[in-house]
Amino acid sequence: MPPENPLLTEAPVVINLGLDLFAEALAQQSVPCVQVRWTPPPPTDDDLLTLLDDLL
Amino acid sequence: MAHRVIIRPRAYYDSVRLMRISQALRAEPGVTEAMAMMATPNNKKILATSGLLTAEAEAARPDDLVLALAATDDAAAEAAVAVAFAALDERAGGDTGGAPLPRTLDAAMAVRPDAGLVVISVPGANAPREARRALDLGLNVLLFSDNVPVADELALKQHAAEVGRLVMGPDCGTAIIGGAALGFANVVRRGPVGVVGASGTGTQEITSLLDWLGTGVSHAIGTGGRDLSAEVGGRTALAALDLLAADPGTEVIVLTSKPPAAEVAARVLEHCAGLGKPVVVNFVGSDRSGSDGRITFAPTLAGAAEAAARLAGGTAPLPALDAAARDAFLAAARDGRAPGQRYLRGLYAGGTLAYEALTLLGDRLGPVHSNLAKGALALTDPFRSTGHTVIDLGEDAYTEGRAHPMIDPYVRNQRILAEAADPETALLLLDVVIGYGAHDDPARDLAQTLAAAQATARDGGRNLPVIVTLCGTTRDPQGHAAQAAQLETAGAIVARSNAEAVALAAAVMETPAHAA
């Protein structure tokens, strides 16, 4: 059995990966949010990264 | 005239932030054009059109930032560059207590180990990898990104089921979880109705109307537009229905989607019937209605909100136009129409609102052309209307290299002006969607465009009636009343639901033009 999903039972604490706008909106609502300063990986590294994910 | 074209190699900024910086720069003294954008092929075309594509910009890579501007003199150009750099270097939002922003999902989890949800809006090519990592970290995922292959979607949703988490998306624009508005979402009162939505603006329309009806929303869970396709099989919808069935704060459930694949519809409806809570189903574009006691079918988004409110014990009527204002609008539209003004033009920012308009108008007016239609009614040129036309300006043909029209109104504004210049245009049908994520003041921007459009029509000896459906609530940051007032001052009539706007538009078009 997969673990129970706490999505609707826990107060939302959010990580935002991408548009700053969404983190700003959560800040306005006083919802805890961490913005990730995301940058795209070099395109050629993608296969390597997937491989690393599989290994780790 | 002074020009500046500056490249920042390997500096990624999101399209919304760059659009806002570009807009702010254009308002600087002496600046005549300004663009901050990633050096994608499409954006290079835009630079070339403005004469700002230098050899250096031409050579830049898609992950390089280009800052290009033109100003009246060197001093103004230098001042604008300084403003641009300050804006680019400004810290993005987020709560890390003053520490540097984390650069990866894992680092963000170290900052907030209690995080339960990640919103991912990075480019589609990078999104599946981040979503998969998020699931492995125990996070639920709202995947806003589009252009994610369906095979990746299926793999992510299968993995999510294994680890007991939910993937909302890809291309999921909206959700309300535990009162938090995520993505594009409205500020709605908490209440007993839970929503599962495969369509973004459809969910916004239903949740906003549930607020107006005084009933309110427990949670709204997005699934992404492809979830109920045969390939994906409604995996997120089924899991979301189970979550709402188990949620003590949810008494009534609404499911909204474009009509699913037949076998998926059968499976989902069977699942709905066994949830133990009443379910209202709105398959946008289907005219199915009635109830079997467990499932109530609603043919419109507004009808779904109203049916859910009734099941939850609400008695307030749906918000609607004042009858006198409606009649006056109809009479003026009828009497002011020249015989050549034969066609309705619906220009929507909200995809589901456009689709609902297209199907409802097709029932009333006969053939309606659209970029959402297939076969003979598909628009051959998305930038030119034919006969009655309804378009979704959020589709790729209009958004490549730009933010969504709910944020960046430029493309729709241009289209409004083009329709105003067309002597066959009888009526404009528009939407304005407010709430978190949307433009700061969409009505102000639209009102300016409508003033120019009205002037164009007047110069051609025509009236141009305008119907706007305004989706949102009184507590949205833009304020429903303030937005409506600006639109009414610009001469538009502001409908309270898309179904009402469409019905009024159909009534105008069914009324014969005043004999000249």
Side-chain angles (χ1 to χ4, degrees):
Chain A
M1 276 293 282
E4 203 159 290
N5 190 341
L7 179 68
L8 306 185
T9 52
E10 291 179 353
V13 176
V14 181
I15 294 173
N16 187 52
L17 200 72
L19 301 177
D20 294 346
L21 175 73
F22 295 154
E24 290 165 21
L26 289 165
Q28 283 172 39
Q29 300 172 69
S30 304
V31 174
C33 176
V34 179
Q35 171 72 19
V36 176
R37 191 168 190 150
W38 186 86
T39 50
T44 48
D45 286 357
D46 214 38
D47 290 341
L48 188 62
L49 290 167
T50 308
L51 188 66
L52 268 176
D53 280 351
D54 287 341
L55 289 173
L56 293 176
Chain B
M1 188 64 75
H3 294 94
R4 296 288 185 278
V5 178
I6 297 164
I7 313 293
R8 275 194 171 185
R10 295 292 317 275
Y12 175 78
Y13 299 88
D14 72 62
S15 62
V16 176
R17 184 152 178 219
L18 293 176
M19 179 203 73
R20 289 162 150 188
I21 291 172
S22 302
Q23 284 175 345
L25 288 175
R26 284 185 210 120
E28 287 292 308
V31 173
T32 54
E33 182 56 280
M35 296 176 201
M37 46 176 59
M38 303 308 295
T40 61
N42 202 43
N43 284 339
K44 284 181 188 174
K45 282 186 209 154
I46 296 171
L47 285 170
T49 309
S50 304
L52 291 167
L53 187 65
T54 59
E56 200 186 5
E58 176 71 79
R61 294 165 20 146
D63 55 351
D64 296 339
L65 173 81
V66 183
L67 172 66
L69 57 88
T72 47
D73 55 53
D74 280 321
E78 283 305 315
V81 168
V83 169
F85 281 168
L88 288 167
D89 294 337
E90 198 174 291
R91 255 179 79 101
D95 175 20
T96 56
L101 292 179
R103 289 181 165 272
T104 66
L105 205 47
D106 288 74
M109 277 302 279
V111 176
R112 284 302 300 232
D114 57 342
L117 175 66
V118 62
V119 178
I120 299 176
S121 54
V122 302
N126 306 107
R129 184 176 167 271
E130 301 290 355
R132 191 176 153 202
R133 182 65 193 146
L135 290 171
D136 286 338
L137 289 167
L139 295 166
N140 285 291
V141 176
L142 191 158
L143 193 50
F144 181 86
S145 313
D146 57 5
N147 298 315
V148 173
V150 71
D152 286 324
E153 175 174 355
L154 189 56
L156 282 170
K157 289 182 173 180
Q158 283 167 337
H159 188 46
E162 287 160 14
V163 297
R165 295 295 180 266
L166 204 61
V167 173
M168 298 179 261
D171 204 12
C172 174
T174 185
I176 302 170
I177 303 294
L182 302 164
F184 294 97
N186 301 93
V187 185
V188 303
R189 75 185 73 210
R190 299 297 297 274
V193 179
V195 179
V196 177
S199 56
T201 47
T203 300
Q204 289 194 262
E205 173 88 340
I206 289 172
T207 54
S208 293
L209 289 172
L210 282 166
D211 184 81
W212 284 103
L213 285 159
T215 299
V217 172
S218 56
H219 308 276
I221 301 174
T223 67
R226 262 187 330 220
D227 187 67
L228 281 83
S229 65
E231 282 157 299
V232 184
R235 286 167 189 272
T236 295
L238 294 171
L241 288 166
D242 286 340
L243 284 174
L244 290 173
D247 173 41
T250 300
E251 296 167 19
V252 177
I253 298 170
V254 177
L255 171 68
T256 180
S257 165
K258 283 187 185 177
E263 67 273 26
V264 180
R267 194 183 319 152
V268 168
L269 291 175
E270 189 187 338
H271 199 80
C272 287
L275 289 175
K277 293 182 180 180
V279 181
V280 177
V281 173
N282 163 243
F283 289 147
V284 183
S286 154
D287 55 6
R288 191 164 175 183
S289 61
S291 170
D292 67 2
R294 292 176 297 184
I295 299 176
T296 303
F297 288 93
T300 63
L301 297 161
E306 188 179 29
R310 294 290 166 272
L311 287 165
T315 54
L318 269 176
L321 280 165
D322 172 70
R326 185 194 140 94
D327 292 347
F329 177 85
L330 259 178
R334 179 191 62 216
D335 295 343
R337 192 157 116 217
Q341 291 183 276
R342 296 162 60 204
Y343 298 122
L344 169 150
R345 301 286 154 80
L347 311 177
Y348 277 83
T352 312
L353 301 178
Y355 190 73
E356 182 177 61
L358 175 64
T359 54
L360 293 174
L361 287 167
D363 293 343
R364 295 272 296 265
L365 301 179
V368 180
H369 295 81
S370 176
N371 61 333
L372 299 176
K374 306 242 188 305
L377 294 177
L379 280 181
T380 46
D381 177 355
F383 293 92
R384 257 176 68 157
S385 296
T386 309
H388 295 310
T389 297
V390 171
I391 59 173
D392 167 14
L393 286 139
E395 284 283 296
D396 292 349
Y398 309 102
T399 58
E400 209 171 18
R402 304 198 76 91
H404 191 276
M406 276 160 55
I407 305 174
D408 181 353
Y410 177 83
V411 173
R412 180 164 78 170
N413 287 344
Q414 297 304 111
R415 184 61 171 255
I416 288 170
L417 296 174
E419 300 295 358
D422 180 349
E424 292 193 325
T425 302
L427 172 69
L428 290 180
L429 172 62
L430 311 171
D431 64 341
V432 169
V433 183
I434 58 175
Y436 285 116
H439 190 287
D440 290 343
D441 192 352
R444 180 195 59 203
D445 195 90
L446 180 56
Q448 288 167 356
T449 301
L450 288 179
Q454 300 284 8
T456 299
R458 250 194 326 274
D459 288 349
R462 302 183 296 278
N463 285 333
L464 182 60
V466 180
I467 301 170
V468 178
T469 178
L470 175 56
C471 175
T473 73
T474 54
R475 288 184 295 135
D476 279 329
Q478 301 89 344
H480 187 280
Q483 294 290 298
Q486 290 187 78
L487 295 167
E488 284 162 359
T489 303
I493 188 163
V494 179
R496 304 299 302 277
S497 69
N498 192 45
E500 182 181 50
V502 169
L504 181 56
V508 170
M509 296 313 301
E510 285 167 347
T511 312
H514 184 65

